[in-house]
Amino acid sequence: MKITCKDVADVALLSRLEFSEKELETFTGQMDAILEYAEVLNKVNVDNVEPTAHVLPLKNVMRKDEARPSLARELALSNAPEQEDGYFKVPKIMEG
Amino acid sequence: MDYEIVIGLEIHTELKTHSKIFCGCSTKFGSEQNTNVCPVCLGLPGVLPVINEKVVEFAVRVGLALNCEILPFSKFDRKNYYYPDLPKNFQTSQYDLPIAVNGHLDIVVDGQTKRIGITRVHMEEDAGKLVHSGNTINDSDSALVDYNRTGVPLLEIVSEPDMSSPEEARAYLEKVKAILEYLDVSDCKMEEGSLRCDANISLRPRGVKKLGTKAEIKNLNSFRSVQRGLEYEAARQEEVLDEGGRIIQETRTWDENKGISLSMRSKEQLDDYRFLPEPDLVPVIVDPAKVEEIRTNLPELPDARKQRLMDSYGLSEYDASVITTSKAMADYLDQGVECKADAKAVANWLMGEVSKHLNNDGISILACPVAPKQLAQLIALIEKGTISSKIAKTVFEEMWTSRKDAEVIVKEKGLVQISDSSEIIGIVDAVIAANPQSVADFNAGKEKAIGFLVGQIMKQTKGRANPDMVNSLLRERMTSN
Amino acid sequence: MELFKYTAAQLHQKLVSKEISATELTQNVLARMDAVENDVKSYITETRDSALAQAKAVDTKISQGQDISVLAGVPGALKDNMCTKGVTTTCASQILANFVPPYDATVVEKLRAEDAVVVGKANMDEFAMGGSTENSSFFPTHNPWDLSTVPGGSSGGSAAAVAAGEAIWALGSDTGGSIRQPASYCGLVGMKPTYGRVSRYGLVAYASSLDQIGPITRDVTDCAHVLNSICGYDAKDSTSINAGVPDYTKSLVNNIKGLKIGLPREYFASGMDPEVERAINKAIEQLVALGAEYKEISMPHTEYALSAYYMLAPAEASSNLARYDGVSFGQRVEGSDIVDMYKKTRSEFLGAEVKRRIMLGTYALSAGYHDAYYLKALKVRTLVKQDFDKAFENLDVIITPTAPTTAFKIGEKTNDPLAMYLQDVCTIPVNLAGVPAVSIPCGFAGGMPIGLQIIAKPLGEETLIRTAYTFEQNNDYHKGFAPLGGVK
C-alpha cells in the first residue's frame, strides 16, 4: 500500500474536496495503483541531473511599466455568483 | 530567570510602480472597488502573467541598498493556499531563489551601533482586500472582496533574528522605511498598507544558544504598535516560561486598542504551501553590468545623508540621525537651507515645534502647513532681532493654523520686538519702582530675583520687549540706584 | 452540394472564384450539423448566429474585391477550453457551465482577424484530462467512423466535428497527446507545434509547461494554413517563442529524398495492436521507398515518461485548478462558511477524473513527497528531453505509432484510469520534451483509422509538414470520409 485512506483524506483537505466513505475508498485504491505504477521512477538514476521546469531556454521576459486600461467593473463582476455594491460576496471566513 | 529576547521582522512594502507586477492595471490606492482589475489579476481561466521590469529594477535597488548579494539566477514560484483574497488560490512569489540574499543594515539605539542581518529580499504579488460584514472577522456572516490590490507588486524583506529588544526592532523598521523612501521605491505609508510588518519573537535563557519557540505577531499597523506589541509579547512569553509553561508556535494578532495579542491560529500544523516553480514565468537573470549600473545610480542613502548633514551643516550626530530618519524631513531641511536659513536653526525647529505639531495633528512632514521658505523667513526674523524666540513660537502657531507668512503675522499682530531702549525705559523704571523687595533681593545677590522683574516687564509689553535688552537695562538701572 | 466534404484550401478557391458564397458554405455546414449532431455530439455550444454574421461580412469583402485569407469564411470549431469573449466557455466542466469570458484568447483574436467562421465550441474531456472525451461532464462524443467508439481525447469534439463534416478545420489542445490521439482515432491530421510556438493566452490551463494549441484538419495542406494563422509570438504569454513564423505552405513539397528517419525501439514495445503495428511498418517501408533513410534508435528513458507525466501534469493541474472555487466566477454551492463553500462547490461541480488528478498532483507536491515524486519527475523530464536532443543530432524526424490501438468502445476503459493512461505512451514523451509532432492517417484496422506520428526537433514544423505531405500525397488515406455508421 503506497497510500492510505488517511493520506487521501489529508490531501482532500489540502485540495478543498470532500468525499463520502465509499468515494474515499475507491479513490484511495485508484491512487494507490497509479502511485505503484509510478514506482518505475525509482529505477532510473537521476544523480547529477538538473530538473527541467521550463523546456524553453527563455529568460528575462518582461514588459514596460505602463498602466493600461482595466476591465469595466460590470464585466469584471459579470460572472460573479454573488455580488454587492461592486464587491464579490462570499460566505463568512473563519479564523483559526 | 534572565531571558534574552530574539526578534526577527518580515517587512512587506508595496512598490510605487505605475502598473501591477504581472498585468497593466493601475496600482493607484483608494480607487472604487474592483475598478483596477483585468482578467489577469482576477485570475480568470486562461490568463497568463508577464513580469513588470520596473519591479525587478526596484528589487535590485533595494537589495543593493541593503548590502545584499544579487543572485545571478532568480525565479518565481507558486505558493499554494486557499483564501478569498487570492483569486488563483496561489500567490506567485519567490521561494528558493529570491532576487537578493545575505544583506545587512546598521541601526543606532542608545548611541550604540548594531548590525542587523538581512536574510533575503524577494518579489511577490499582493492579495485583495476583504471587507467583513460585522466588526471583526469572527462575527461577520459574509465578506466582500475587492481585487484592486491583487497583483500590486510587493517586496518582502526578511531579517535575521538579530534584534534583541523592541527598541531595536523599531529602529530597524524605521531604518528600512527610510532606505525605501530614499530609494523612492515605495510610499511607505503604514496607514495605507504600503508598508507592513510582521514580527517573530522568542525568548531564551541568557547564554543559551538554542532558539526558543517563536510566535508570529501580525496586525502591527504602526511603529508604535510594533514596539508595544513586542513589549507585550516579550512579557507574555516570560510569564508563561516562568510559570513552567511552554510557548506554542502560533500566529497572534495585535489589538492596539486593548494593548494585547490574541492567538489567531496554531502554526503547529504548518501550512503546506506545496511550492512549485511558476511554469508561466521564465527565470530572471540579472546582467552583472546592469546591477553595477543600478549600484552607481543609487540615490544618496540615509547614512550618507546623515554624514553630509554633519559635515556640511555641522549638525550633531543625534540631530542628523533624527532628521534623516525621514527623507521628507531631510529634504525640508535642505530646502530651508536653500532659502538662506541657518541649518542648525532649521534643524532645531524641525525637531522641536514642527515635529510637535505634526504629531499632534497626526500628519507627516509632507503635509506640513508651514513651507521651508516660510520657516526660513521666521528664523530670519529671530536672527534680525525683529522678534524674540519666545514670540516666534506664538507666531509659528499662527503660521500653522492660518498658513500666513511670519512677516504678515508679525505686522498684523503688532508683534515686532521692541529693541529700542528708549521705548521701554519708562516701563523698566516703573517696574523697579513698584517692586522694591525684588530689587533689594537682587542687589543683595539673589540673581533669580531679576526673573520676576523681567516677567513683569514682558507682561506689560505683551512679550514684545527684547529679553536681552530688558535684562541689561534692569541690571543697569538697579545697580545704578 | 456537400460542401462540408471539401478542405479549407479547396473552399477558399471556390470562394475567391465566387463559385460559392461564404454564407452558402456556412449554411451547408450548419445543415450538416443538423443532420448528424444528434449522433456525433461534437458540440457543447453552437454559435450559429455569429457564424452567419461572420460569413456575411466575408461575402461583403469579396463583393468589394478585397483580398481574403485562406480561412476567411471557412467554418471551424474551437475546443471549449479556449476563451471566446461573450460566448460560454465550459472546458466541459459543470463548474464553468455558466462562465462567459470577458476576453478572447489570442488564437481566437488571430482567427477573427482573418475572418474565420466559428460554428461552435467543441466537446472535450473535462479540463482536458482524458483520452476519450468520456470525461466530459455533459455527454460523450461519438467517433464518426463508428459511433459506438470514442473519438479519442481530450480534443475529441474537435476531431469528431472535422471527421463528420461539422467543421472544416478545428483547433484542439495537446498536453499529453490530446490533439494527436483523437486525430489518429478519427483519421485526421493533428499537430502539436513546438512548445511556445502558439500563444497559450486564453487557453484554460491544465499543465502549463506542457499545454499547446494546434490544428486538427482533413489534410496536411489545411494544417499548414491553420498553422500560418495561429503561430507567432504573443507579448501576453511569457513562454511564447519570439521568432518569425515561416510560411508553412512552402513546405508542402512532395519530396523526402535523403530524409533521415529514426524508429525508437521502445515505442514498438508490447501492448500494440498487431494491425496497428502492421500499418506502421508498412508506412515506414513506404517512406523508405520514397527516399528516406531509416535507422532504429534507442530512446532509453521512454519507459519513464508516462510516470513522470502523471506526476508533473497533475502537479501543475492541482495548482492551476485551485481557482475553481465559486468565489468570483463559475458555479457555486453555498456553504456555512467559505471553506465549506469551497469544498461543496468543488466536490459537486468537478468530475471524478479531474478530482483524481488534483489529488495526485497535490500529493506529489506535498511536504515529504515533493522530492520523491515531483522533483524526481522534473529530472526524468530532463532525461527524456536529452533522448530527443541526442536523436536529432543525427536524424531529421522520428517515426512512431500515435496510439497503440484504434478507437476503443465507449465505456470500455472508464473503470480503469490506469488503462486509460497507458494509451498515451507514444504521445506523452513529445510534450515532456516540448518538441513538435504530427499525427497523420496511415491505414485502417477493422475500418477504423490508424495514425502515424512524426516528430521533429524544436521549431521543426516545416520538416514535419514536408514529411507528412509527401506521405499523404502518395496515399489516399486522407480522402476517405467517415461513414457515420455503427450503433451509438
Side-chain angles (χ1 to χ4, degrees):
Chain A
M1 259 316 237
K2 293 223 82 57
I3 190 170
T4 64
C5 273
K6 165 96 182 37
D7 294 329
V8 176
D10 288 343
V11 173
L13 178 56
L14 278 177
S15 315
R16 295 297 185 265
L17 291 168
E18 55 188 16
F19 296 108
S20 67
E21 283 282 333
K22 186 149 189 311
E23 283 173 320
L24 203 61
E25 262 179 59
T26 314
F27 260 86
T28 305
Q30 289 168 343
M31 281 179 68
D32 195 57
I34 295 163
L35 289 168
E36 275 293 344
Y37 181 79
E39 271 302 297
V40 71
L41 289 175
N42 284 329
K43 291 200 303 188
V44 59
N45 184 341
V46 292
D47 294 343
N48 303 320
V49 178
E50 285 300 308
T52 295
H54 291 102
V55 78
L56 296 169
L58 292 175
K59 56 176 180 152
N60 294 337
V61 176
M62 302 192 215
R63 47 169 250 275
K64 294 222 166 313
D65 181 29
E66 285 161 356
R68 298 216 199 96
S70 289
L71 208 56
R73 185 158 73 190
E74 316 85 64
L75 264 187
L77 290 166
S78 60
N79 285 290
E82 250 205 276
Q83 55 176 286
E84 190 179 291
D85 284 344
Y87 289 95
F88 292 90
K89 190 167 176 184
V90 296
K92 72 175 171 193
I93 303 158
M94 313 272 275
E95 277 298 326
Chain B
M1 171 86 94
D2 188 19
Y3 295 103
E4 194 184 15
I5 300 172
V6 177
I7 296 171
L9 292 188
E10 272 172 30
I11 296 171
H12 284 89
T13 178
E14 282 182 5
L15 298 177
K16 50 192 266 196
T17 52
H18 296 125
S19 60
K20 294 184 178 182
I21 189 172
F22 298 129
C23 68
C25 288
S26 163
T27 52
K28 191 158 154 274
F29 179 79
S31 307
E32 281 278 302
Q33 57 274 21
N34 293 307
T35 53
N36 290 340
V37 295
C38 74
V40 177
C41 55
L42 284 173
L44 293 184
V47 297
L48 297 171
V50 183
I51 303 170
N52 177 342
E53 65 180 12
K54 221 3 156 256
V55 175
V56 178
E57 189 194 311
F58 280 6
V60 172
R61 256 199 234 176
V62 172
L64 290 173
L66 295 176
N67 304 295
C68 294
E69 181 199 329
I70 305 298
L71 285 189
F73 183 99
S74 178
K75 71 191 215 310
F76 284 89
D77 302 281
R78 293 187 183 177
K79 182 177 179 182
N80 297 287
Y81 65 97
Y82 285 80
Y83 209 66
D85 64 0
L86 207 56
K88 301 171 291 193
N89 287 322
F90 64 82
Q91 179 196 33
T92 301
S93 174
Q94 295 192 283
Y95 180 52
D96 56 331
L97 292 172
I99 187 87
V101 295
N102 293 337
H104 61 263
L105 63 71
D106 294 336
I107 56 170
V108 178
V109 175
D110 291 335
Q112 301 276 49
T113 304
K114 182 172 177 178
R115 179 154 288 191
I116 308 295
I118 290 169
T119 318
R120 53 186 279 154
V121 177
H122 74 250
M123 302 175 275
E124 60 185 25
E125 57 180 341
D126 207 346
K129 276 219 186 98
L130 296 172
V131 178
H132 300 290
S133 62
N135 286 326
T136 68
I137 199 173
N138 282 321
D139 52 43
S140 305
D141 61 19
S142 66
L144 300 176
V145 193
D146 171 15
Y147 289 121
N148 279 351
R149 207 180 61 177
T150 57
V152 167
L154 290 179
L155 280 189
E156 181 173 332
I157 301 166
V158 182
S159 80
E160 291 286 321
D162 287 348
M163 288 159 268
S164 323
S165 70
E167 291 76 26
E168 285 182 7
R170 182 178 180 148
Y172 170 82
L173 180 60
E174 283 174 349
K175 193 65 178 285
V176 170
K177 173 179 190 266
I179 290 174
L180 294 173
E181 281 177 344
Y182 280 63
L183 290 174
D184 202 22
V185 298
S186 170
D187 289 333
C188 293
K189 293 186 186 167
M190 286 189 88
E191 66 279 12
E192 279 182 10
S194 51
L195 187 71
R196 298 171 218 163
C197 180
D198 295 331
N200 287 304
I201 177 170
S202 65
L203 261 46
R204 66 184 169 195
R206 199 167 291 282
V208 170
K209 258 194 137 45
K210 183 160 178 273
L211 289 169
T213 309
K214 65 179 178 193
E216 184 187 7
I217 322 289
K218 288 177 113 67
N219 207 38
L220 301 165
N221 294 333
S222 65
F223 288 100
R224 196 174 107 102
S225 296
V226 171
Q227 187 161 351
R228 281 185 78 207
L230 287 169
E231 282 165 357
Y232 173 88
E233 186 58 22
R236 183 192 76 84
Q237 289 192 12
E238 181 166 350
E239 201 179 311
V240 169
L241 291 174
D242 278 344
E243 284 171 9
R246 72 175 185 102
I247 303 297
I248 303 169
Q249 183 167 341
E250 61 180 345
T251 303
R252 298 177 70 87
T253 181
W254 173 249
D255 185 328
E256 176 67 23
N257 290 329
K258 295 197 185 131
I260 58 168
S261 73
L262 295 159
S263 181
M264 272 177 85
R265 52 179 183 261
S266 173
K267 267 203 156 181
E268 292 199 319
Q269 291 273 67
L270 288 174
D271 293 304
D272 183 356
Y273 294 120
R274 289 156 281 135
F275 287 96
L276 74 153
E278 173 58 76
D280 293 330
L281 292 175
V282 297
V284 172
I285 295 173
V286 195
D287 177 22
K290 178 86 179 157
V291 173
E292 282 320 299
E293 188 192 317
I294 295 176
R295 195 197 301 272
T296 9
N297 290 326
L298 281 181
E300 188 181 40
L301 293 179
D303 283 349
R305 190 127 182 207
K306 177 177 105 172
Q307 197 60 47
R308 176 164 70 79
L309 294 191
M310 286 164 67
D311 296 341
S312 311
Y313 301 152
L315 292 188
S316 70
E317 167 145 26
Y318 178 76
D319 289 1
S321 202
V322 171
I323 290 186
T324 55
T325 300
S326 155
K327 177 173 186 285
M329 193 164 281
D331 286 344
Y332 192 107
L333 175 63
D334 277 347
Q335 285 162 38
V337 171
E338 261 170 54
C339 295
K340 310 273 193 278
D342 171 54
K344 284 214 181 97
V346 179
N348 286 335
W349 274 94
L350 279 173
M351 285 169 33
E353 290 301 305
V354 174
S355 288
K356 188 175 96 182
H357 281 79
L358 289 175
N359 286 335
N360 282 346
D361 290 4
I363 55 176
S364 85
I365 185 82
L366 289 165
C368 181
V370 176
K373 192 164 143 192
Q374 292 176 304
L375 183 62
Q377 189 189 76
L378 179 66
I379 291 169
L381 289 176
I382 302 170
E383 270 169 23
K384 274 192 287 203
T386 311
I387 53 174
S388 67
S389 23
K390 193 158 175 212
I391 292 282
K393 285 200 179 153
T394 320
V395 175
F396 184 81
E397 291 278 348
E398 188 59 30
M399 286 166 77
W400 191 272
T401 41
S402 72
R403 290 172 186 255
K404 290 187 185 159
D405 281 349
E407 280 177 2
V408 169
I409 294 169
V410 164
K411 199 170 277 172
E412 278 179 5
K413 299 215 177 219
L415 293 172
V416 177
Q417 189 169 247
I418 305 168
S419 296
D420 180 352
S421 51
S422 62
E423 282 187 52
I424 58 168
I425 195 81
I427 299 172
V428 172
D429 287 340
V431 165
I432 288 173
N435 296 284
Q437 189 54 53
S438 301
V439 175
D441 287 343
F442 177 74
N443 283 335
K446 278 201 193 146
E447 267 294 311
K448 283 198 181 164
I450 201 172
F452 176 73
L453 298 170
V454 171
Q456 287 300 297
I457 294 166
M458 293 307 254
K459 214 156 101 176
Q460 292 203 30
T461 61
K462 297 201 199 323
R464 288 171 53 216
N466 182 322
D468 292 337
M469 185 184 67
V470 166
N471 223 295
S472 56
L473 275 179
L474 271 173
R475 286 174 198 271
E476 226 184 84
R477 295 308 247 205
M478 285 194 289
T479 51
S480 69
N481 278 351
Chain C
M1 220 187 342
E2 288 182 318
L3 293 176
F4 57 83
K5 286 197 173 169
Y6 291 92
T7 67
Q10 291 164 341
L11 291 166
H12 174 69
Q13 286 312 314
K14 291 185 194 292
L15 286 169
V16 163
S17 67
K18 300 197 178 140
E19 189 189 322
I20 59 170
S21 73
T23 303
E24 198 184 324
L25 172 56
T26 299
Q27 282 167 343
N28 199 275
V29 171
L30 292 177
R32 177 65 173 172
M33 283 158 69
D34 287 334
V36 306
E37 177 62 3
N38 268 340
D39 292 334
V40 182
K41 311 288 288 158
S42 304
Y43 291 105
I44 293 174
T45 304
E46 292 177 14
T47 53
R48 291 174 180 250
D49 292 341
S50 59
L52 287 166
Q54 286 160 345
K56 186 153 176 248
V58 174
D59 282 333
T60 307
K61 276 194 173 165
I62 295 174
S63 69
Q64 288 169 350
Q66 288 186 48
D67 281 337
I68 55 167
S69 66
V70 173
L71 292 182
V74 181
L78 298 175
K79 185 173 180 180
D80 205 17
N81 60 357
M82 296 175 204
C83 287
T84 41
K85 184 171 175 176
V87 176
T88 318
T89 300
T90 70
C91 301
S93 178
Q94 289 304 311
I95 210 163
L96 290 179
N98 61 353
F99 176 63
V100 179
Y103 77 102
D104 272 331
T106 296
V107 291
V108 174
E109 277 181 357
K110 284 164 112 67
L111 289 171
R112 276 198 213 287
E114 301 216 351
D115 297 312
V117 170
V118 175
V119 289
K121 304 299 293 295
N123 200 16
M124 51 185 282
D125 282 299
E126 188 178 357
F127 284 111
M129 299 179 187
S132 66
T133 307
E134 290 168 293
N135 289 331
S136 164
S137 75
F138 296 109
F139 38 76
T141 297
H142 300 258
N143 190 324
W145 291 89
D146 177 343
L147 296 168
S148 67
T149 64
V150 301
S154 58
S155 311
S158 298
V162 175
E166 294 185 281
I168 309 299
W169 57 270
L171 289 190
S173 72
D174 190 314
T175 306
S178 292
I179 286 176
R180 294 160 285 150
Q181 185 249 45
S184 169
Y185 284 4
C186 292
L188 301 168
V189 176
M191 182 185 292
K192 184 206 80 70
T194 308
Y195 182 82
R197 183 82 276 202
V198 179
S199 170
R200 287 186 301 115
Y201 185 78
L203 171 69
V204 179
Y206 155 23
S208 317
S209 73
L210 303 166
D211 296 339
Q212 265 295 272
I213 292 174
I216 295 179
T217 55
R218 228 106 12 83
D219 67 8
V220 179
T221 300
D222 276 4
C223 178
H225 283 299
V226 176
L227 278 181
N228 279 353
S229 300
I230 62 173
C231 289
Y233 171 67
D234 183 10
K236 297 204 276 284
D237 176 354
S238 300
T239 58
S240 171
I241 295 175
N242 196 349
V245 181
D247 177 358
Y248 291 114
T249 62
K250 293 215 162 39
S251 303
L252 295 166
V253 167
N254 186 347
N255 184 354
I256 52 167
K257 288 202 184 50
L259 188 79
K260 296 200 188 62
I261 68 178
L263 281 48
R265 65 177 75 100
E266 291 84 2
Y267 283 69
F268 292 80
S270 60
M272 243 207 303
D273 185 318
E275 292 245 34
V276 171
E277 196 170 346
R278 216 182 341 264
I280 302 294
N281 283 329
K282 184 155 164 264
I284 293 166
E285 278 165 25
Q286 189 180 18
L287 287 170
V288 171
L290 289 167
E293 299 164 17
Y294 99 95
K295 57 191 241 198
E296 206 187 79
I297 59 170
S298 171
M299 298 186 73
H301 299 98
T302 306
E303 69 173 295
Y304 309 113
L306 199 81
S307 304
Y309 173 86
Y310 279 105
M311 284 296 122
L312 287 178
E316 290 186 17
S318 70
S319 179
N320 282 327
L321 270 67
R323 70 192 69 195
Y324 303 110
D325 59 6
V327 169
S328 60
F329 60 84
Q331 301 229 69
R332 175 196 286 194
V333 175
E334 287 301 338
S336 53
D337 61 70
I338 191 125
V339 175
D340 190 45
M341 184 199 90
Y342 285 152
K343 287 190 200 167
K344 289 198 159 73
T345 299
R346 290 164 66 77
S347 304
E348 172 146 348
F349 292 126
L350 292 175
E353 183 60 37
V354 171
K355 286 182 195 169
R356 215 170 354 256
R357 295 198 198 191
I358 289 174
M359 301 269 283
L360 254 178
T362 303
Y363 185 75
L365 288 172
S366 61
Y369 301 108
H370 179 276
D371 286 2
Y373 292 116
Y374 180 70
L375 188 59
K376 178 145 268 180
L378 285 180
K379 293 182 176 183
V380 169
R381 182 176 188 174
T382 303
L383 296 174
V384 169
K385 183 168 189 311
Q386 283 172 353
D387 278 358
F388 279 95
D389 292 340
K390 281 201 193 76
F392 288 123
E393 278 169 13
N394 303 307
L395 296 174
D396 295 311
V397 297
I398 294 169
I399 308 281
T400 79
T402 303
T405 66
T406 57
F408 47 88
K409 295 272 184 218
I410 290 177
E412 189 182 310
K413 295 195 198 292
T414 43
N415 285 328
D416 190 351
L418 194 54
M420 190 73 87
Y421 296 170
L422 291 169
Q423 289 293 306
D424 299 330
V425 72
C426 296
T427 49
I428 272 175
V430 167
N431 299 82
L432 289 178
V435 292
V438 67
S439 176
I440 56 173
C442 70
F444 292 88
M448 297 303 289
I450 299 171
L452 181 76
Q453 176 172 241
I454 309 168
I455 309 168
K457 65 175 197 246
L459 295 180
E461 286 82 1
E462 289 152 286
T463 311
L464 286 182
I465 294 195
R466 180 162 63 92
T467 312
Y469 185 74
T470 303
F471 181 82
E472 178 189 80
Q473 292 300 301
N474 286 283
N475 287 290
D476 281 335
Y477 303 123
H478 61 297
K479 292 190 178 158
F481 206 82
L484 268 87
V487 182
K488 223 178 89 172

